[in-house]
Amino acid sequence: MVKPFASSADTTAKEETFTELAAGVYALTAEGDPNVGAIEGEDFLVCFEARATPVAARRWLDKLREHTDKPVRYLVLSHYHAVRVLGASAFGAAEIVAHDQTRMLIAERGRQDWDSEYGRMPRLFEEPSSIPGLTWPTVTFSDRLTIPLGGSRGDLVLAYCGRGHTAGDIVAWLPGERILFAGDLVEARAALYTGDAFHNDWATSTLDNVAAFPAEALVGGRGAVAVGADAVAAAIAQSRHFLDELRRTVGWVHGDGGTLADAFRAAHTALAPGYGGWPIFEHCLPFNVQRYWDELDGIDWPRVWTAERDREVWEALQG
């Protein structure tokens, strides 16, 4: 049976769960759809991630406004992917913050990524005509950026942990509350998307750097909030294991002179028993395998995904 392309057949809205993790620290999760969050400063908000369209973002903001009416001063984008950034205009943020590499990636491939992700995940693009254009950061940094929250609220630390899900992923760390917003570097019972990744860095030093934060709650890119040090460690370990199995199977086939299709079958056989029922597993795997195959071929910088290339890879591996 031919599988529908990516998540194009996923038309069912997901149940959203609003969680207050600590006083003035919020997350919205949605059964494997992209997560968002917010942190209250003394007289302003920092929002984390923007959703795919302004209409989708406003639904999140409506929930947030039931708890606070503070204006959004900072909108933090963990990376460049369209489903995370194109809703930015709804926030009215004074500053949009991202990593240096994220700004560069938007310039290099933002339009192609927009078209690609809209084709892969149309349900997330609620009223796409509401998107005014590409989202551009107004503040970027290379290593760390600290946002004083004012009063007794302490600081919010934005940190680059290394190349991973993309070249420019950042995390947001609240040291007083020990809460980490990890973006798509970590997922909690949701499959990883690695189509623009640096697998070897991510699975080793980058996740080591994420794990070095003594977090007692973690909001990943998708999936439920991990609460408690053991749950945080389990989410990081799950993400690492997924990457390790992908690297092991695709690497073995590549080294043995097999084909890309052989590598996909080997990865699927290894990963499906543990991850096959998790959100976006079947959607992601062809693009994941293609990207790691490219890395094994010596292509360090990810090739640009276009709507046309998406379909070619899908037909070759999932068709």
Side-chain angles (χ1 to χ4, degrees):
M1 182 171 60
V2 176
K3 295 177 181 177
F5 173 67
S7 291
S8 61
D10 179 7
T11 59
T12 304
K14 309 305 180 191
E15 182 178 354
E16 296 180 337
T17 301
F18 187 99
T19 305
E20 186 168 5
L21 299 168
V25 183
Y26 310 104
L28 189 71
T29 61
E31 297 184 306
D33 276 0
N35 296 336
V36 289
I39 302 101
E40 288 192 44
E42 187 173 22
D43 58 0
F44 64 90
L45 283 172
V46 181
C47 287
F48 191 76
E49 311 289 36
R51 291 192 152 180
T53 69
V55 169
R58 280 193 286 272
R59 285 197 301 100
W60 151 234
L61 288 167
D62 287 345
K63 293 178 184 293
L64 188 58
R65 290 305 176 208
E66 296 173 9
H67 300 265
T68 176
D69 61 0
K70 295 174 183 177
V72 179
R73 183 177 298 174
Y74 300 98
L75 173 61
V76 177
L77 305 176
S78 69
H79 62 285
Y80 81 95
H81 283 144
V83 293
R84 303 290 184 181
V85 306
L86 292 180
S89 63
F91 292 80
E95 303 289 356
I96 299 176
V97 185
H99 192 264
D100 294 337
Q101 291 276 26
T102 292
R103 181 177 179 85
M104 187 277 294
L105 285 161
I106 292 169
E108 179 191 50
R109 60 183 68 194
R111 181 69 240 192
Q112 293 96 321
D113 180 70
W114 178 349
D115 293 340
S116 166
E117 295 205 11
Y118 180 53
R120 294 182 188 185
M121 297 173 278
R123 178 178 54 80
L124 298 182
F125 287 79
E126 300 173 50
E127 296 189 31
S129 62
S130 67
I131 302 169
L134 292 174
T135 296
W136 293 99
T138 60
V139 175
T140 64
F141 66 96
S142 61
D143 183 29
R144 288 201 172 203
L145 186 151
T146 298
I147 298 174
L149 297 173
S152 61
R153 293 180 179 272
D155 294 334
L156 175 67
V157 179
L158 306 180
Y160 179 64
C161 294
R163 303 193 306 179
H165 173 71
T166 72
D169 301 88
I170 59 174
V171 302
W173 168 239
L174 283 163
E177 295 84 354
R178 296 197 171 192
I179 296 171
L180 184 68
F181 290 85
D184 279 325
L185 288 173
V186 179
E187 312 289 11
R189 298 190 64 80
L192 274 66
Y193 174 66
T194 73
D196 299 301
F198 299 84
H199 289 78
N200 297 329
D201 290 2
W202 187 1
T204 55
S205 57
T206 299
L207 281 180
D208 288 346
N209 290 332
V210 173
F213 291 97
E216 295 180 3
L218 181 147
V219 182
R222 294 173 184 263
V225 177
V227 178
D230 289 346
V232 171
I236 295 170
Q238 172 242 295
S239 299
R240 197 190 302 265
H241 182 260
F242 187 101
L243 292 166
D244 285 344
E245 284 296 281
L246 183 66
R247 293 192 303 150
R248 179 184 66 82
T249 53
V250 176
W252 173 76
V253 173
H254 188 276
D256 202 44
T259 66
L260 179 65
D262 294 334
F264 175 78
R265 285 189 288 270
H268 195 283
T269 297
L271 290 166
Y275 302 97
W278 291 10
I280 68 171
F281 173 78
E282 295 290 350
H283 166 162
C284 292
L285 196 61
F287 310 118
N288 296 353
V289 170
Q290 177 67 71
R291 169 56 189 151
Y292 191 50
W293 189 268
D294 285 350
E295 285 187 278
L296 293 168
D297 279 344
I299 302 171
D300 179 68
W301 193 252
R303 291 194 282 160
V304 176
W305 289 105
T306 65
E308 294 76 20
R309 182 169 175 245
D310 286 355
R311 294 279 181 171
E312 290 171 1
V313 170
W314 183 268
E315 290 302 321
L317 300 181
Q318 285 278 43

